[in-house]
DNA sequence: AAAGAAAGTTCGGTCACCCTAAATCGAAAA
DNA sequence: TTTTCGATTTAGGGTGACCGAACTTTCTTT
């Protein structure tokens, strides 16, 4: 159907579009580690395939078709991550790189089987929603931990930015999806938070960490 | 390490070398569905990487390094097939195409985990040996069913040529690895065999089928 | 041994995907 | 409003992987 390169452009453009109102060639270039002229020509190619609306010097926009294709690739990525964690025993910090490759496997039966064996999961191991077979994806209305107040008790529901180092940091603090924690205090100087959970009495989390944790109250 | 194309050439050359004494550019070309000039230039490229001994107009030969690399790809292919059958519930006729893609995944942890979850299997679902981590592969000394005699009782140990149609044919006759069968008679005209097994009293198997079944006495 | 057929190579392309350097555009600053 | 500078496109190249056409070598047949 689509080449590996095309799939990675589509998926990345889709993800960036969920974070920012406007996505430029430069943004996509930086995220993919591919130079701008290359990105421009790929956008023109995807435009001929009716996956992207492309106009010179304008922000990049996926077509409805492009959004659906992208969401289906993300579906394969997240199903894979879930499978690797739940059925194969990998840690949540190990699965992204493998899923980055397996998401390009062309076999609907393979992903349908994963889905079935997992019991049709709605979320991946990092708390992100798994798009359905039609490419529909719904994010629950979570807050960032950094936006919570002193005294709040919240439950961790998802992690933004799933880099291996960040996830290893969370492992070292025994922080995981579903964990309930209470905000003891917020340092006004740097917005770091002191929180308690389980047997941990007073863990300090920097603002950078708190901005990457999504919670529910 | 190697590109997807290089890996497919290596693996196919290795497999053909196990079937025939000499493998020519033409053989590889036909098996891969790639034209001869392309095969020639890839052989030259693999020669510069010390994976193939290449001399104009001579049969193709893998170097020891090339044999090892190829066997390790076949290892990944067969581990995958075994995993798909044993852990995911696919039929043995469904797994080859998926494994053809997954064999190119670059993650030693992923294949090590499959191996572990499978309990370090020695054979794939079609009875072919899985090369070890050093690329060592041993075929047991099996006979073709077609070489057996009237009255022999044999156990099916492997299938040569694992095309989906052939495996579906075997499914329809309830023939599988481990099945014991007895040769009732051999038709001298076309070398077809009448065999009995389980509740099947008199199945006729053509010579073409009998040549594709490996057995142990 | 000569001729013809098959196999293999060489040569000149194409296409996908990537790059750098140079030109151009457009938004922010002067 | 003009300047300036970052963002973007254009132009020109490179590599990997494929192809067909034409040529050469080797094998087979007579
Ligand atoms: Mn991921
Ligand atoms: Mn990917
Ligand atoms: Mn196979
Ligand atoms: Mn393959």
């Amino acid at each position: 159907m689509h080449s590996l390169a095309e799939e990675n452009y589509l998926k990345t453009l889709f993800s960036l579009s969920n974070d920012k109102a406007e996505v430029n060639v430069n943004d996509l270039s930086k995220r993919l580690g591919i130079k701008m002229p290359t990105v421009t020509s790929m956008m023109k190619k995807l435009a001929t395939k009716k996956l992207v609306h492309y106009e010179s010097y304008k922000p990049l926009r996926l077509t409805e078709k492009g959004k659906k294709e992208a969401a289906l690739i993300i579906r394969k990525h997240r199903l894979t991550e879930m499978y690797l964690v739940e059925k194969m025993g990998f840690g949540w910090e190990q699965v992204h790189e493998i899923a980055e490759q397996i998401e390009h496997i062309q076999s609907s039966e393979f992903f349908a089987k994963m889905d079935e064996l997992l019991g049709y999961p709605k979320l991946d191991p990092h708390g992100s929603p798994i798009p359905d077979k039609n490419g529909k994806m719904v994010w629950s209305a979570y807050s960032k931990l950094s936006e919570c107040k002193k005294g709040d008790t919240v439950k961790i529901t998802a992690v933004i930015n799933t880099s291996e180092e960040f996830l290893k940091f969370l492992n070292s603090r025994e922080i995981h999806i579903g964990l309930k924690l209470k905000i003891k205090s917020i340092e006004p100087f740097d917005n770091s938070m002191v929180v308690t959970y389980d047997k941990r009495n007073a863990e300090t989390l920097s603002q950078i960490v708190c901005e990457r944790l999504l919670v529910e109250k």
Side-chain angles (χ1 to χ4, degrees), chain A:
Chain A
M1 189 64 173
H2 305 127
S3 72
L4 191 148
E6 286 168 356
E7 290 195 347
N8 283 333
Y9 279 91
L10 277 180
K11 190 183 63 141
T12 305
L13 178 50
F14 184 92
S15 296
L16 286 175
S17 303
N18 281 340
D19 300 347
K20 306 180 54 185
E22 292 196 342
V23 181
N24 306 308
V25 173
N26 197 22
D27 301 325
L28 196 46
S29 167
K30 278 175 184 147
R31 175 67 65 94
L32 287 166
I34 287 170
K35 294 289 182 289
M36 285 204 294
T38 308
V39 172
T40 298
S41 62
M42 180 60 92
M43 288 306 103
K44 287 177 174 174
K45 184 186 180 190
L46 293 179
T48 70
K49 294 193 172 191
K50 304 286 182 206
L51 295 164
V52 165
H53 294 294
Y54 177 77
E55 289 177 273
S56 292
Y57 301 103
K58 295 276 173 63
L60 302 172
R61 282 167 39 236
L62 285 167
T63 62
E64 284 308 309
K65 186 181 168 201
K67 282 179 198 168
K68 181 174 177 182
E69 301 280 339
L72 290 176
I73 298 162
I74 289 171
R75 171 178 168 78
K76 296 199 285 178
H77 182 100
R78 293 185 178 162
L79 271 178
T80 300
E81 289 188 339
M82 199 62 179
Y83 188 89
L84 292 171
V85 167
E86 294 294 316
K87 300 296 175 185
M88 296 189 77
F90 283 98
W92 69 343
E93 79 285 2
Q94 300 178 286
V95 298
H96 180 78
E97 287 308 311
I98 302 175
E100 198 60 43
Q101 297 177 63
I102 293 193
E103 68 190 0
H104 305 290
I105 299 291
Q106 311 256 321
S107 166
S108 45
E109 295 84 1
F110 180 60
F111 294 99
K113 188 70 90 174
M114 274 191 188
D115 197 23
E116 180 195 327
L117 292 170
L118 287 167
Y120 312 102
K122 293 273 191 296
L123 300 173
D124 84 2
H126 310 107
S128 300
I130 298 172
D132 70 18
K133 283 175 194 159
N134 302 310
K136 282 271 163 287
M137 182 175 92
V138 205
W139 268 100
S140 301
Y142 300 137
S143 329
K144 290 182 181 169
L145 177 56
S146 56
E147 292 159 355
C148 297
K149 296 188 191 62
K150 176 174 169 179
D152 286 358
T153 297
V154 298
K155 188 169 74 170
I156 305 222
T157 51
V159 294
I160 301 180
N161 192 306
T162 58
S163 72
E164 191 172 347
E165 312 82 59
F166 179 54
L167 295 174
K168 279 184 169 168
F169 166 83
L170 296 179
N171 286 345
S172 73
R173 300 298 195 281
E174 296 177 287
I175 294 173
H176 52 84
I177 302 292
L179 179 72
K180 286 190 180 109
L181 51 76
K182 185 170 182 188
I183 302 171
K184 279 287 187 184
S185 64
I186 304 177
E187 178 62 49
F189 176 64
D190 64 356
N191 292 316
S192 64
M193 287 181 169
V194 178
V195 301
T196 63
Y197 54 93
D198 289 349
K199 278 145 206 153
R200 303 224 173 194
N201 254 12
E203 283 290 342
T204 302
L205 303 176
S206 71
Q207 189 188 20
I208 291 181
V209 169
C210 295
E211 277 179 342
R212 290 175 170 206
L213 293 174
L214 296 188
V215 302
E216 167 180 279
K217 290 175 189 180

